[in-house]
């Protein structure tokens, strides 16, 4: 057992040598990379389980598959080894793996805590434990397990979508606030704000043109056209509201930069929704065509192309990994109510790296430690111990968000409410109506969340500055001590 643990600890130096050569890598960074690789491995296993090609290969080329199926609760048909049922079981093991660690690592404040070793070490044991949980989940009796786990996945998936929406709106809000803080000190920051705003609006406009050209057809795709018109109008309404005098009076730092970022994200969610809907059949110019997915052109025969589907899936998964890491950072910096407090954070000075939580933490603590100082203190070491005094991110929140991410990936791969017939070959190309409406709802929820940030000062008592002053330093007026006046006669 000791030898296995030692081999698990050797993964850190090996990872450092592979990624950074001899410069060194922080413990907090290497740990998150390894957990990310475990999550990528779990997602890859789910994709293989959902593939019809892999299922046929297992049945034909694996000799002991029939014997294995006889010992599973499902019987001899081997339906549990493939398809949505297998994805549910693998994600059940992954979710239990992260949920258990989230409970065990509550209130870990530094790496000197003995529980921190469970998070930062024993990698080989944790890999074996994860695989063991996957295997054990296949022996759970069918009964009502799939249906109950489906409802759990729906709740967890929507919770993860909410976290993603909060992160993207907070990102836009923070970017705009940080650079406008710099503009008040140096007018050159105004130029940076204008260039960034123009770039994001150009990107959103290009995305709208791309979607209208390749996801609509003259004789069909009326739902796609309506969705593009609605979402495009919402982007225009958001931009107009953000610069109205009444909003600027309550929120002086509101502007077009944050609206342009939200508009880009709305266009991405629209692209994701249109890529997730089933295609349509239409009779056009004497030909029976399949339309409403990326094709050659509007008037020509459209053919399936998996390039756009793979690109959309890659962007989606990158957003998942970003949300898992960013949420754990913010949970450590702002505490359990980070989803509320992150919007009220005030920067003292502008920075191009404003989105790094270390910058927020430095300003909150009043420290300004540069990267060169950290490297100087760790010269000659493969691993930089950066959590001896305090953890960089919340371990418990990190695993809990990964728990929700496992449920979100499970629901996305199995088409949310149409999981019975989910197949990998058609998940990202033909899609389903349930997935389409989930993503459309996510898009509109993002717009509503941003509009709430703009209009909330009109609904709540006091301006944002007054509310922030209630949590910041207060000037306490001392009560004058009673003076005794002696009157002599």
């Amino acid at each position: 057992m000791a030898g296995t643990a030692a081999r698990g600890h050797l993964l850190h130096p090996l990872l450092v040598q592979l990624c950074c050569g001899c410069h060194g890598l922080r413990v907090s960074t290497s740990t998150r990379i390894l957990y990310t690789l475990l999550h990528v491995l779990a997602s890859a296993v789910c994709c293989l389980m959902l593939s019809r090609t892999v299922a046929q290969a297992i049945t034909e080329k694996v000799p002991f598959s029939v014997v294995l199926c006889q010992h599973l609760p499902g019987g001899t048909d081997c339906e549990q080894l493939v398809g949505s049922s297998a994805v549910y079981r693998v994600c059940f093991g992954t979710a239990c793996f992260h949920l258990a660690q989230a409970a065990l690592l509550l209130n870990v404040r530094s790496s000197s805590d003995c529980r921190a070793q469970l998070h930062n070490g024993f990698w080989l044991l944790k890999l074996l434990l994860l695989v063991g949980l996957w295997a054990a989940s296949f022996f759970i009796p069918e009964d009502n397990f799939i249906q109950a786990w489906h409802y759990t996945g729906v709740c967890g998936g929507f919770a993860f979508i909410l976290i993603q929406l909060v992160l993207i709106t907070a990102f836009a809000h923070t970017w705009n606030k940080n650079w406008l803080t710099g503009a008040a000190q140096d007018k050159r920051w105004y130029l940076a704000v204008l260039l960034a705003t123009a770039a994001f609006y150009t990107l959103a406009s290009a995305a709208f043109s791309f979607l209208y050209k390749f996801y609509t057809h003259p004789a069909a795709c009326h739902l796609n056209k309506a969705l593009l018109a609605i979402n495009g109008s919402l982007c225009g309404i958001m931009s107009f509201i953000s610069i109205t005098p009444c909003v600027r009076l309550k929120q002086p730092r509101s502007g077009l930069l944050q609206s342009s970022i939200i508009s880009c994200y709305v266009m991405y969610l629209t692209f994701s929704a249109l890529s997730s809907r089933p295609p349509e059949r239409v009779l056009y110019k004497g030909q029976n065509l399949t339309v409403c997915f990326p094709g050659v052109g509007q008037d020509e025969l459209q053919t399936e192309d998996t390039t756009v589907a793979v690109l959309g899936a890659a962007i989606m998964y990158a957003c998942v990994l970003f949300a898992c890491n960013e949420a754990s950072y913010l949970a450590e910096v702002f505490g359990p109510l980070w989803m509320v407090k992150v919007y009220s954070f005030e920067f003292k000075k502008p920075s191009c790296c404003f989105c790094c939580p270390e910058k927020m933490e430095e300003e909150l603590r009043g420290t300004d430690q540069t990267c060169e100082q950290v490297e100087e203190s760790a010269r000659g070491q493969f691993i930089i111990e950066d959590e001896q005094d305090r953890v960089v991110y919340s371990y418990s929140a990190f695993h809990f968000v990964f728990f929700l991410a496992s449920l979100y990936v499970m629901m996305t791969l199995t088409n949310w409410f149409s999981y019975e017939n989910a197949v990998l070959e058609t998940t990202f190309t033909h899609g389903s109506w349930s997935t389409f409406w989930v993503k459309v709802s996510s898009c509109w929820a993002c717009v509503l969340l941003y509009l709430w940030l703009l209009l909330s000062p009109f609904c709540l008592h006091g301006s944002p500055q007054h509310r922030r002053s209630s949590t910041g330093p207060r000037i306490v007026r001392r009560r004058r001590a009673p003076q005794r006046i002696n009157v002599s006669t």
Side-chain angles (χ1 to χ4, degrees), residues 435-450:
T435 304
F436 170 79
W437 287 113
V438 165
K439 295 185 176 182
V440 170
S441 301
S442 302
C443 181
W444 292 342
C446 181
V447 174
L448 291 177
L449 179 60
Y450 176 65

Side-chain angles (χ1 to χ4, degrees), residues 10-149:
L10 288 177
L11 286 176
H12 269 293
L14 179 60
L15 179 64
V16 173
Q17 289 179 343
L18 289 176
C19 296
C20 302
C22 58
H23 289 291
L25 187 68
R26 296 179 180 180
V27 170
S28 59
T29 303
S30 60
T31 298
R32 292 195 303 273
I33 291 176
L34 288 172
Y35 275 116
T36 300
L37 292 178
L38 288 180
H39 197 269
V40 171
L41 174 63
S43 302
V45 171
C46 291
C47 291
L48 292 177
M49 293 290 187
L50 197 61
S51 175
R52 184 186 295 116
T53 305
V54 174
Q56 295 175 354
I58 291 177
T59 305
E60 296 173 359
K61 299 182 179 180
V62 178
F64 56 87
S65 61
V66 178
V67 178
L68 180 62
C69 290
Q70 293 176 353
H71 292 82
L72 291 176
T76 59
D77 53 359
C78 261
E79 290 184 356
Q80 292 186 8
L81 285 178
V82 294
S84 60
S85 176
V87 173
Y88 271 45
R89 294 174 186 275
V90 170
C91 290
F92 176 78
T94 306
C96 291
F97 174 78
H98 287 291
L99 186 61
Q101 292 191 77
L104 291 173
L105 298 173
L106 278 172
N107 296 324
V108 174
R109 296 304 180 189
S110 68
S111 60
S112 58
D113 193 322
C114 59
R115 292 178 297 163
Q117 295 301 319
L118 296 175
H119 178 74
N120 295 319
F122 305 103
W123 291 104
L124 186 57
L125 286 177
K126 284 189 284 194
L127 177 60
L128 295 176
L129 175 62
L130 181 60
V131 175
L133 289 173
W134 293 345
S137 64
F138 284 90
F139 291 91
I140 299 176
E142 186 78 18
D143 296 337
N144 297 323
F145 167 73
I146 296 297
Q147 186 175 6
W149 186 238

Side-chain angles (χ1 to χ4, degrees), residues 205-234:
S205 302
F208 181 87
S209 301
F210 169 82
L211 294 176
Y212 190 84
K213 180 178 181 181
F214 292 102
Y215 282 84
T216 62
H217 191 273
C221 307
H222 301 296
L223 181 61
N224 292 14
K225 298 175 184 177
L227 182 62
L228 285 171
I230 292 173
N231 289 352
S233 301
L234 289 176

Side-chain angles (χ1 to χ4, degrees), residues 146-191:
I146 296 297
Q147 186 175 6
W149 186 238
H150 168 72
Y151 290 128
T152 305
V154 170
C155 297
F158 280 119
F160 187 78
I161 290 175
L162 177 62
I163 291 177
Q164 285 186 309
L165 297 181
V166 170
L167 287 174
I168 189 62
T169 52
F171 173 77
H173 191 76
T174 303
W175 189 342
N176 185 75
K177 185 183 294 185
N178 181 271
W179 282 19
L180 287 181
T181 300
Q185 305 170 6
D186 188 348
K187 300 303 181 182
R188 288 177 294 182
W189 283 100
Y190 273 121
L191 179 61

